[in-house]
Amino acid sequence: MNWYEKLNQYFPVEEMKSKRHFETLLKEKGDVYRKDEGEYHVMMYAEFDSFIFIDYVYVSPQSRGQGIGHKLMEKLKAKGKPIILEVEPVDYDDSDTEKRLHFYQREGFKHAQSIGYTRKSLATKEVNTLEILYWAPDKESEEVIYEKMKEMYEEIHTYKDEEIYGEAYQPVEEVLTIDKSRDVDLFEELKKPKGV
């Protein structure tokens, strides 16, 4: 199974980029957009001058618990820049969402509580709400993370979208919002008993 098939099997269709989109990014934005691939993992990420955005991380089920994810995070943290990623909210019917959040919490990531992120999938036409996690070596504020997310969205997620998908993703100001009064804490959600 190649790297794209691994990602495609693991991530929901509404969160996946097309193979053509990945290949275009790797070819035309190769100075920023990268693939880190090994026998048991695939990580797609964008490294900008002032931050890193993790687009996808896949670790094969048979090798989980062996520290592969931790090593990948350590490699990125060693660059000394904020690291940002998108995650699904806790879904108690999908134990992977919980495991993923626990993993990032152990790795020292924080939940950007003030940042709202909702976008329509071009594949399914469904509106998806994701949450933003970040690791901030210099205690960067959520406002700083928000500005970096906007840059990433325009540089990576919507890159050549009309050419590739035949239609455009929503503009960044419709997708990303910042609201200090937003009261959602993913890591607090994890502590609640299931079904509450």
Side-chain angles (χ1 to χ4, degrees):
M1 201 178 344
N2 70 28
W3 62 270
Y4 180 75
E5 290 165 331
K6 288 173 185 171
L7 293 177
N8 210 21
Q9 275 194 349
Y10 185 64
F11 288 94
V13 64
E14 63 272 13
E15 290 177 27
M16 272 298 284
K17 288 178 172 57
S18 71
K19 190 157 197 275
R20 183 175 165 207
H21 195 173
F22 278 121
E23 287 169 345
T24 304
L25 285 166
L26 288 166
K27 186 172 162 210
E28 297 177 14
K29 292 230 175 218
D31 57 326
V32 172
Y33 198 78
R34 312 210 172 113
K35 173 176 58 163
D36 180 327
E37 182 183 10
E39 189 179 351
Y40 299 112
H41 79 275
V42 179
M43 179 169 68
M44 310 299 284
Y45 69 100
E47 183 176 353
F48 295 90
D49 290 341
S50 64
F51 72 102
I52 294 167
F53 173 73
I54 300 175
D55 206 1
Y56 300 88
V57 178
Y58 163 85
V59 174
S60 70
Q62 67 269 29
S63 63
R64 287 193 194 145
Q66 295 177 17
I68 293 172
H70 175 68
K71 286 184 189 123
L72 292 172
M73 293 306 117
E74 287 299 300
K75 198 153 86 173
L76 294 182
K77 286 176 184 175
K79 297 171 184 279
K81 303 174 185 183
I83 302 170
I84 307 171
L85 57 100
E86 304 159 0
V87 292
E88 298 159 289
V90 183
D91 175 356
Y92 293 110
D93 297 328
D94 175 4
S95 64
D96 270 1
T97 63
E98 270 185 274
K99 287 180 189 148
R100 213 172 290 132
L101 287 171
H102 281 299
F103 168 75
Y104 287 116
Q105 190 174 28
R106 281 195 308 273
E107 290 295 327
F109 281 75
K110 291 183 166 57
H111 176 216
Q113 290 176 251
S114 64
I115 302 175
Y117 183 61
T118 306
R119 72 175 190 167
K120 193 166 104 181
S121 162
L122 293 181
T124 65
K125 307 298 180 223
E126 285 175 35
V127 173
N128 297 318
T129 298
L130 294 169
E131 297 293 338
I132 307 302
L133 299 184
Y134 66 101
W135 179 79
D138 297 319
K139 310 276 185 275
E140 286 82 356
S141 69
E142 290 192 9
E143 287 85 355
V144 168
I145 299 301
Y146 172 69
E147 291 303 323
K148 294 180 186 318
M149 263 305 289
K150 283 176 24 183
E151 181 183 346
M152 179 288 306
Y153 181 81
E154 295 189 312
E155 292 284 322
I156 302 298
H157 283 350
T158 63
Y159 184 67
K160 294 198 170 176
D161 51 359
E162 288 191 70
E163 183 185 314
I164 294 166
Y165 299 104
E167 59 183 308
Y169 278 108
Q170 298 145 276
V172 69
E173 50 282 348
E174 277 181 30
V175 172
L176 282 156
T177 56
I178 189 157
D179 176 2
K180 289 266 184 257
S181 64
R182 193 169 171 265
D183 190 23
V184 181
D185 185 344
L186 273 188
F187 295 130
E188 281 301 313
E189 292 279 312
L190 279 179
K191 293 177 189 168
K192 288 182 185 170
K194 289 183 177 154
V196 173

